[in-house]
């Protein structure tokens, strides 16, 4: 982003000057303070609803070169059940084109979310590098979709957690893993703030099934490693642990409990670890 672009982004504050001029001291302005402590937890009012969008893209046009995602229905069913147990009202969509995906995000961005505590989006599809994900007829940038639900385009979700769980490849690299020995075997050697503005990307969590550039594993019979782990942990501990702890458990489950088993030697005994990118500003506890 260059200087001119930065000037147009809400939530960025800096002293105006010509980019090539000599540096100068910038006075920092402190935010207002009051006598009440800021709530460090997101408000999850039992009298309000939680909203979830599940997009399950399983079949793709031949022109995309993308294969049928066998096992994706198992993922969609598992995550829907887990979210329902946490009082999420689900919007289910299957085999959406890029246009249809964009439209559903547009529709959600124009909704009144006053009565919603939290928004969750689960996308099950193919993907590529640079956060490109597939509709049935082509690909779209995930950022393009997410940005439609940020405060400048969806004001009624401001200050509310917006969680995105993406089951998709992010490249073709394979993780062979390494042998880890039990560390124990080696012994011991071995605030009171009120702000009138928030950053545009605050209160967002992006949970990817794998790290950038890497393949994401899915069983044709049991579903994907990431979504199955996520669904199991949300059902088991969703009302007991804070979200970051839940996601740590998901990472641990995928990393330690799964390994590929295939007749193709170059893909056999491979590993995977999810990537959690959090811009959340408070603790998030679900309820049952």
């Amino acid at each position: 982003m260059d200087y001119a672009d930065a000037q147009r982004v809400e939530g960025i504050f800096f002293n105006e000057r010509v980019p090539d001029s000599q540096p100068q001291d910038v006075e920092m302005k402190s935010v207002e303070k009051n006598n009440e402590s800021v709530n460090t937890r997101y408000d999850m009012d039992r009298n309000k609803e939680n909203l979830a969008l599940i997009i399950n893209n399983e079949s793709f046009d031949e022109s995309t070169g993308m294969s049928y995602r066998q096992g994706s229905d198992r993922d969609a069913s598992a995550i829907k059940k887990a979210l329902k147990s946490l009082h999420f009202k689900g919007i289910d969509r299957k085999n959406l084109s890029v246009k249809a995906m964009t439209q559903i995000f547009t529709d959600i961005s124009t909704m009144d979310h006053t009565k919603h505590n939290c928004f969750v989006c689960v996308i099950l599809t193919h993907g590529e590098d640079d956060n490109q994900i597939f509709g049935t007829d082509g690909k779209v940038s995930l950022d393009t979709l997410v940005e439609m639900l940020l405060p400048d385009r969806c004001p009624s979700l401001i200050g509310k957690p917006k969680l995105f769980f993406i089951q998709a490849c992010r490249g073709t690299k394979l993780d062979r893993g390494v042998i880890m020995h039990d560390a124990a075997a080696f012994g011991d050697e071995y605030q009171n703030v009120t702000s009138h503005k928030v950053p545009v990307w605050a209160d967002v969590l992006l949970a990817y099934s794998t790290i950038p550039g890497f393949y994401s594993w899915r069983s044709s019979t049991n579903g994907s490693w990431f979504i199955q782990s996520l669904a199991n942990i949300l059902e088991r501990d969703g009302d007991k642990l804070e979200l970051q702890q839940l996601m740590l458990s998901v990472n641990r489950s995928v990393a330690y409990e799964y390994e590929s088993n295939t007749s193709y030697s170059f893909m056999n005994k491979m590993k995977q670890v999810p990537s959690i990118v959090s811009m959340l500003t408070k603790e998030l506890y679900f309820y049952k």
Side-chain angles (χ1 to χ4, degrees):
M1 176 187 295
D2 62 21
Y3 177 82
D5 290 334
Q7 288 180 292
R8 294 193 289 270
V9 178
E10 294 185 28
I12 295 180
F13 298 89
F14 52 87
N15 195 40
E16 289 275 357
R17 64 181 179 87
V18 178
D20 296 328
S21 65
Q22 292 297 316
Q24 61 186 46
D25 292 335
V26 179
E27 182 180 350
M28 301 300 292
K29 180 181 178 182
S30 61
V31 296
E32 296 180 20
K33 295 185 178 181
N34 59 20
N35 295 324
E36 296 184 3
S37 296
V38 170
N39 188 355
T40 59
R41 292 189 180 187
Y42 287 108
D43 182 18
M44 294 293 282
D45 187 343
R46 290 176 177 269
N47 294 318
K48 294 182 178 180
E49 293 181 332
N50 304 313
L51 181 64
L53 169 65
I54 301 173
I55 297 177
N56 176 20
N57 287 344
E58 190 177 45
S59 301
F60 300 83
D61 293 352
E62 187 176 348
S63 60
T64 66
M66 294 292 108
S67 60
Y68 179 76
R69 298 184 63 256
Q70 190 170 354
S72 192
D73 277 346
R74 181 69 67 93
D75 279 350
S77 177
I79 197 62
K80 180 179 179 181
K81 181 172 179 285
L83 290 172
K84 186 176 181 180
S85 75
L86 299 175
H87 298 279
F88 277 86
K89 176 184 177 182
I91 300 174
D92 298 329
R93 295 291 184 270
K94 188 170 182 179
N95 293 331
L96 298 186
S97 65
V98 169
K99 181 178 180 180
M101 291 174 71
T102 304
Q103 185 61 54
I104 189 65
F105 273 83
T106 300
D107 293 344
I108 290 174
S109 72
T110 58
M111 289 173 60
D112 180 4
H113 296 281
T114 305
K115 295 184 178 179
H116 294 148
N117 292 313
C118 175
F119 173 75
V120 163
C121 176
V122 180
I123 300 179
L124 315 171
T125 189
H126 284 300
E128 291 183 349
D129 288 332
D130 300 323
N131 276 1
Q132 298 292 315
I133 57 174
F134 276 83
T136 56
D137 58 348
K139 54 190 176 182
V140 62
S141 169
L142 175 64
D143 292 350
T144 298
L145 301 178
V146 174
E147 286 170 359
M148 297 172 77
L149 301 183
L150 298 183
D152 52 345
R153 310 226 353 227
C154 186
S156 59
L157 278 178
I158 189 170
K160 298 181 179 183
K162 296 165 279 288
L163 317 178
F164 299 84
F165 300 95
I166 313 301
Q167 169 55 45
C169 289
R170 305 178 74 187
T172 57
K173 295 180 183 178
L174 298 173
D175 187 340
R176 296 185 177 279
V178 295
I179 301 299
M180 182 181 71
H181 298 285
D182 187 351
F186 293 93
D188 294 334
E189 293 180 12
Y190 287 108
Q191 286 182 319
N192 300 324
V193 177
T194 299
S195 179
H196 297 290
K197 273 196 173 184
V198 296
V200 173
W201 278 84
D203 307 306
V204 172
L205 179 135
L206 301 169
Y208 301 95
S209 58
T210 190
I211 60 176
F214 278 76
Y215 188 83
S216 184
W217 290 91
R218 167 178 39 85
S219 165
S220 60
T221 54
N222 298 320
S224 67
W225 299 359
F226 175 61
I227 295 297
Q228 291 300 315
S229 294
L230 176 64
N232 290 337
I233 287 165
L234 287 179
E235 278 210 76
R236 185 187 71 200
D237 299 323
D239 62 337
K240 301 181 182 72
L241 301 175
E242 198 273 331
L243 178 61
Q244 306 285 6
Q245 294 175 301
L246 292 169
M247 297 315 299
L248 189 66
S249 294
V250 172
N251 275 14
R252 184 166 55 247
S253 173
V254 174
Y256 292 166
E257 297 175 14
Y258 289 88
E259 184 174 278
S260 66
N261 181 13
T262 171
S263 57
Y264 299 102
S265 59
F266 74 98
M267 299 184 76
N268 198 33
K269 296 185 177 181
M270 297 296 167
K271 303 292 290 183
Q272 178 181 322
V273 65
S275 173
I276 315 301
V277 182
S278 176
M279 284 73 73
L280 298 180
T281 59
K282 300 180 182 181
E283 296 175 346
L284 177 57
Y285 288 88
F286 299 120
Y287 57 86
K288 290 189 177 181

